[in-house]
Amino acid sequence: IEIYSLHVDCKVTSRFAHTVVTSKIVNRANESREATFEVELPKSAFITNFSMSIDSKVYPGIIKEKASAQKEYDAAVSHGQSAGLVKITGRKLEQFHVSVSIAAASKVTFELAYEELLKRQLGKFELLIKVRPKQLVKHFQIDVHIFEPQGIRFLETDSTFMTNELTEALTKVQNETKAHILFRPTVDQQKINPELDETLLNGDFVVRYDVRRGATAGDIQIVSGYFVHYFAPREMPVFPKNVIFVIDRSGSMAGRKIEQTRDALSKILQDLRPEDHFSFITFNSKVGEWKSSLLQATAENVASAAGFVQTLSASGGTDINRALLTAVSMLDKAERLPGRSVSMMILLTDGQPTSGESNVEVIQENIQKAVNGKYALFCLGFGFDVSYKFLEKMALSNGGIARRIYENADAALQLQGFYQEVATPILMKIEMQYPENAIEGVTKNNFKLFFEGSEIIVSGKISNELDLLPVEIKAQTHASDLTLKEEANVKEKEQVFQNQSYVFGNFIERLWAYLTIQQLLEKSISAEEEDKKTLEAQALELSLQYNFVTPLTSMVVTKPTGQQQTELANKPTEAG
């Protein structure tokens, strides 16, 4: 079985990435053989199309509502379940895998398309392409086109498998607003060494970039009646933080995990600003407070805390409920904190609640009642014994996010990386306002906090013949209350994307649908049962309308007669 052509074509238009992977395979044997197509794609992406063509007959994947697809599948497959076509394969990726039997000398072409909105983290966007053909490929290429009307501020490529020979196969061309990256290694360049037919191409190919930001009220782009508004202010004074680290030191944290936690906390302490206030709460079946109140991050206090962190050891049960309630009450009672400051709790745990209150629903309720919207709660789940669903719901209900920390050598770096994302809050209570009578279907437009290095994105439909789209942003900075105003000329903005070969269809409309679905699903995690149904119904309708494989839809893939005919591609989620 020979893969004679493998192309990855990616167009990124204003952060929205549309990637198509095409693999052409020929069976050189004189009997039928299994041809396999394997693509690893980002977890944040939605598959939007798949097809296989065997001897010029096309078998398309059809996206349907999950339950009805499952019913159809169960009817078609009377014996034994297959594992489904998509599974999570690591921190950032999931894998789409399909095999089909093809006759001697036959050819098959597989094509998979997926879309995602690139998310700005720590000051850059990252486009990740996983490369693993497992054999030498005659025509191999990665072709990336980026068009950012705001202008490209910097651009870099990075790869885990590059050699000097392979670097020669990489070209980058860039002007003010566009970049073209082409990686097209010959068969010889792909070889580990001239004698062996083994490929070097195995790993990540990454493009990182950021855009220029001029206008204070962000940047508005408009295509075919849909708008997107990007806002990422720079050089603002940073809010002092009041942060309580709530650290699990139960028995399961013993050994490497608690070492990595000590390591990460020592580094994080060095990153605190002098005007920040902080404290530690550690818990197993008992809850311990390092100090009875928050302390200012003076050199002396930080040194004392560093000493304390080194003494952390692990044993006993897990009382998450009492640990978090203790943290909330410490913030409630705190005195002499800076007037305008941001208060947050960062929970790190590796297991289920086993001591004290162990019913997760009761814990969620207790915490939400106690926090009452005053503080942000971030939940870090260490490893795979945690109930990620529980942590995610608790974080999202309390203005924060959840993140999984993988049990690898770099766990301490993962913890520090997360801290860096939330280390510099520069805006609070951000309201993005648009004229109500002229705009509909607006995505989330109120945000509690904005951290430096990230980006706020709001999208919606412009309902009537509007010439000017006025926007107003209200927010609190450390120094004062902020109001920014801007007017976008609809006709002028539409012009920007005219005759751009890079633009795929009504990409802002697809971006709007993608963002709306992501937000509806996120909202449904912390919603009550009734609301959950409504939110999921809306998300399902959009998933079907825009042909996205989301957690509510499935793609039905049908194969030629005589093989296990129907297979399903579902979207796996982090919470399982």
Side-chain angles (χ1 to χ4, degrees), residues 350-371:
D350 75 332
Q352 316 274 358
T354 56
S355 310
E357 181 55 67
S358 58
N359 179 329
V360 291
E361 274 149 21
V362 176
I363 299 175
Q364 280 159 350
E365 217 167 289
N366 291 348
I367 305 309
Q368 198 170 347
K369 209 187 269 161
V371 171

Side-chain angles (χ1 to χ4, degrees), residues 511-523:
L511 180 161
W512 167 81
Y514 170 96
L515 191 57
T516 305
I517 294 166
Q518 293 277 31
Q519 291 179 357
L520 287 166
L521 292 171
E522 189 170 289
K523 224 166 148 184

Side-chain angles (χ1 to χ4, degrees), residues 174-239:
Q174 184 184 345
N175 65 20
E176 194 65 20
T177 57
K178 291 181 193 159
H180 179 211
I181 295 149
L182 182 63
F183 178 55
R184 194 191 285 168
T186 62
V187 168
D188 285 340
Q189 286 171 323
Q190 293 170 39
K191 287 183 181 179
I192 287 182
N193 69 39
E195 283 72 64
L196 290 176
D197 281 353
E198 279 181 47
T199 177
L200 282 163
L201 305 183
N202 181 2
D204 300 348
F205 184 85
V206 182
V207 180
R208 294 189 192 90
Y209 72 93
D210 195 20
V211 300
R212 296 184 189 284
R213 292 184 175 77
T216 48
D219 190 78
I220 292 175
Q221 297 170 19
I222 300 172
V223 170
S224 318
Y226 283 78
F227 78 89
V228 60
H229 184 184
Y230 296 109
F231 181 52
R234 298 183 319 224
E235 290 151 24
M236 294 255 177
V238 177
F239 278 102

Side-chain angles (χ1 to χ4, degrees), residues 210-497:
D210 195 20
V211 300
R212 296 184 189 284
R213 292 184 175 77
T216 48
D219 190 78
I220 292 175
Q221 297 170 19
I222 300 172
V223 170
S224 318
Y226 283 78
F227 78 89
V228 60
H229 184 184
Y230 296 109
F231 181 52
R234 298 183 319 224
E235 290 151 24
M236 294 255 177
V238 177
F239 278 102
K241 296 189 296 301
N242 314 310
V243 56
I244 299 183
F245 297 95
V246 184
I247 306 297
D248 182 343
R249 56 182 198 88
S250 61
S252 53
M253 285 287 287
R256 195 170 170 206
K257 284 192 220 167
I258 199 82
E259 271 169 45
Q260 292 172 319
T261 303
R262 287 197 297 255
D263 197 25
L265 290 173
S266 310
K267 304 258 191 345
I268 287 170
L269 282 167
Q270 303 309 310
D271 290 341
L272 288 170
R273 292 191 174 75
E275 60 278 12
D276 290 341
H277 285 69
F278 73 105
S279 195
F280 289 97
I281 285 173
T282 60
F283 67 97
N284 44 24
S285 38
K286 298 189 178 65
V287 173
E289 301 177 45
W290 169 57
K291 298 284 191 235
S292 55
S293 62
L294 288 107
L295 296 190
Q296 191 170 346
T298 60
E300 199 179 337
N301 287 336
V302 166
S304 155
F308 164 74
V309 163
Q310 288 316 314
T311 67
L312 284 181
S313 62
S315 65
T318 313
D319 191 345
I320 293 177
N321 183 57
R322 216 153 52 89
L324 284 174
L325 290 176
T326 308
V328 174
S329 121
M330 192 184 280
L331 283 169
D332 283 345
K333 291 198 293 244
E335 288 161 2
R336 295 191 303 281
L337 294 180
R340 282 196 174 210
S341 57
V342 169
S343 296
M344 55 173 81
M345 295 169 287
I346 298 178
L347 167 71
L348 172 67
T349 178
D350 75 332
Q352 316 274 358
T354 56
S355 310
E357 181 55 67
S358 58
N359 179 329
V360 291
E361 274 149 21
V362 176
I363 299 175
Q364 280 159 350
E365 217 167 289
N366 291 348
I367 305 309
Q368 198 170 347
K369 209 187 269 161
V371 171
N372 197 13
K374 296 175 296 217
Y375 318 122
L377 169 63
F378 297 96
C379 296
L380 304 178
F382 206 146
F384 282 87
D385 295 334
V386 289
S387 163
Y388 191 82
K389 216 175 184 156
F390 158 61
L391 295 179
E392 185 174 42
K393 181 170 180 176
M394 208 156 51
L396 291 173
S397 309
N398 295 292
I401 57 169
R403 185 71 61 79
R404 198 188 291 283
I405 302 296
Y406 291 82
E407 287 183 55
N408 295 72
D410 69 340
L413 288 170
Q414 296 174 57
L415 288 165
Q416 275 166 263
F418 173 78
Y419 174 76
Q420 279 162 350
E421 285 177 51
V422 298
T424 40
I426 54 177
L427 292 179
M428 276 171 84
K429 299 190 177 143
I430 305 108
E431 289 179 33
M432 315 278 284
Q433 297 171 342
Y434 309 91
E436 277 175 22
N437 55 353
I439 296 293
E440 53 185 339
V442 154
T443 58
K444 180 179 162 127
N445 62 342
N446 284 325
F447 304 86
K448 273 189 175 166
L449 293 169
F450 174 78
F451 298 100
E452 181 149 23
S454 64
E455 179 173 60
I456 283 176
I457 305 178
V458 182
S459 181
K461 315 181 218 188
I462 302 172
S463 44
N464 49 23
E465 294 297 303
L466 206 62
D467 296 327
L468 290 175
L469 172 61
V471 303
E472 183 171 81
I473 301 174
K474 289 192 157 123
Q476 290 178 4
T477 71
H478 182 224
S480 60
D481 287 353
L482 183 71
T483 303
L484 301 170
K485 291 185 179 181
E486 179 92 37
E487 274 192 329
N489 181 317
V490 177
K491 294 262 184 308
E492 268 172 38
K493 290 285 179 189
E494 292 253 12
Q495 261 352 101
V496 174
F497 293 100

